């Protein structure tokens, strides 16, 4: 973690874009959905997400060792409850005298591109970081990751380039009553959205089962 760089290249205004996509906090029970999501990434998307060519075995190891007690994982589900977008907020080791920091990583499946999912995941992560006393949000990625660079610059992050990699930093203000209420409201909204989609999926399955029952077709 480049804490010295972070202290020198931080923007003055925090990320404050609006959120229009329900983002749900994931837990250990979502491990299978997370694995399925990451395995759906093509070779190029895997390289951009993890910084190198990433075979299935590496992804499986990564998902198996996710620590939901230490880090925070956010996700966006489609109507079929497929995980189309995911963010990993990893808390970095605390260093005395330096700002508390967390690293943000994100992946979105092709069918979720250009729908504001990356922006929503970053905003959700920034609010959660503020509410958990994180002062610096950090992104490390390949410098040719145009989607991540666009997201970082849109968020007002300060970007440093070196040796084909890019480090982006976002200075976060302390939590406020507004951020605490916002996060609580977002959690309720995302949970409600998930339940509605789950009920709709079950209703559709029951309906198609009914239509497909022997003897019902003319």
């Amino acid at each position: 973690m480049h804490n010295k760089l972070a202290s020198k290249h931080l923007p003055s205004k925090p990320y404050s874009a609006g959120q229009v996509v329900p983002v749900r906090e994931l837990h250990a029970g979502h491990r299978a959905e997370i694995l399925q999501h990451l395995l759906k990434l093509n070779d190029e998307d895997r390289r951009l997400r993890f910084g190198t060519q990433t075979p299935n075995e590496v992804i499986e190891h990564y998902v198996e060792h996710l620590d939901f007690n230490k880090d925070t994982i956010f996700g966006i589900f489609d109507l079929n409850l497929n995980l189309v977008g995911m963010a990993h907020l990893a808390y970095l080791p605390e260093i005395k005298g330096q700002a508390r920091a967390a690293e943000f990583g994100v992946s979105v499946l092709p069918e979720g591109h250009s729908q504001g999912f990356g922006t929503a995941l970053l905003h959700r992560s920034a609010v959660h970081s503020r509410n958990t006393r994180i002062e610096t949000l950090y992104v490390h990625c390949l410098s040719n990751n145009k989607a991540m660079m666009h997201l970082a610059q849109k968020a007002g992050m300060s970007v440093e380039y070196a040796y084909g990699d890019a480090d982006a930093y976002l200075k976060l203000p302390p939590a406020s009553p507004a951020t605490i209420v916002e996060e609580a409201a977002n959690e309720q909204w995302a949970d409600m959205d998930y339940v509605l989609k789950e009920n709709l999926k079950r209703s559709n399955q029951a309906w198609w089962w009914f239509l497909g029952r022997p003897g019902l077709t003319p």
Side-chain angles (χ1 to χ4, degrees):
M1 167 60 182
H2 307 282
N3 286 287
K4 184 177 293 185
L5 280 175
S7 64
K8 293 182 179 180
H9 302 281
L10 291 172
S12 58
K13 295 184 179 180
Y15 179 60
S16 59
Q19 177 174 313
V20 296
V21 179
V23 177
R24 194 166 194 243
E25 184 172 347
L26 307 183
H27 51 73
H30 292 107
R31 213 178 285 270
E33 287 91 337
I34 293 172
L35 177 60
Q36 185 181 39
H37 165 81
L38 293 174
L39 290 178
K40 286 181 179 179
L41 297 176
N42 58 37
D43 291 342
E44 178 63 9
D45 285 341
R46 293 185 186 191
R47 186 182 71 86
L48 294 176
R49 170 61 182 86
F50 296 102
T52 185
Q53 297 298 330
T54 312
N56 291 352
E57 294 77 12
V58 173
I59 290 178
E60 291 167 358
H61 183 270
Y62 164 79
V63 174
E64 182 182 352
H65 289 83
L66 285 173
D67 188 345
F68 292 85
N69 294 318
K70 179 183 177 183
D71 298 337
T72 304
I73 315 295
F74 294 111
I76 296 173
F77 293 89
D78 66 11
L79 287 175
N80 294 314
L81 295 185
N82 296 313
L83 188 62
V84 293
M86 169 193 161
H88 183 180
L89 189 62
Y91 292 88
L92 301 175
E94 293 188 41
I95 300 177
K96 187 176 180 179
Q98 296 188 5
R100 296 185 70 239
E103 182 174 0
F104 172 82
V106 64
S107 55
V108 177
L109 296 181
E111 56 266 34
H113 290 175
S114 302
Q115 297 187 46
F117 289 173
T119 299
L121 288 164
L122 178 55
H123 179 66
R124 183 74 170 84
S125 298
V127 171
H128 183 77
S129 294
R130 291 178 62 182
N131 290 340
T132 52
R133 298 185 298 109
I134 294 298
E135 301 169 70
T136 303
L137 194 59
Y138 164 76
V139 173
H140 178 79
C141 67
L142 299 175
S143 58
N144 64 349
N145 188 339
K146 295 181 179 179
M148 190 66 245
M149 287 297 93
H150 174 74
L151 186 63
Q153 291 167 356
K154 181 180 177 181
M157 286 183 158
S158 180
V159 181
E160 290 290 317
Y161 297 91
Y163 306 109
D165 292 340
D167 293 325
Y169 306 94
L170 180 65
K171 184 177 181 180
L172 299 171
S176 67
T179 61
I180 294 172
V181 170
E182 178 181 354
E183 182 163 31
N186 286 338
E187 288 178 354
Q188 291 182 349
W189 178 32
D191 287 345
M192 183 181 298
D193 173 80
Y194 186 89
V195 170
L196 290 173
K197 289 175 179 176
E198 187 174 40
N199 290 337
L200 179 62
K201 182 178 180 180
R202 289 176 178 174
S203 296
N204 288 338
Q205 289 174 339
W207 179 246
W208 285 113
W209 174 84
F210 178 79
L211 291 178
R213 287 180 59 188
L216 292 181
T217 54

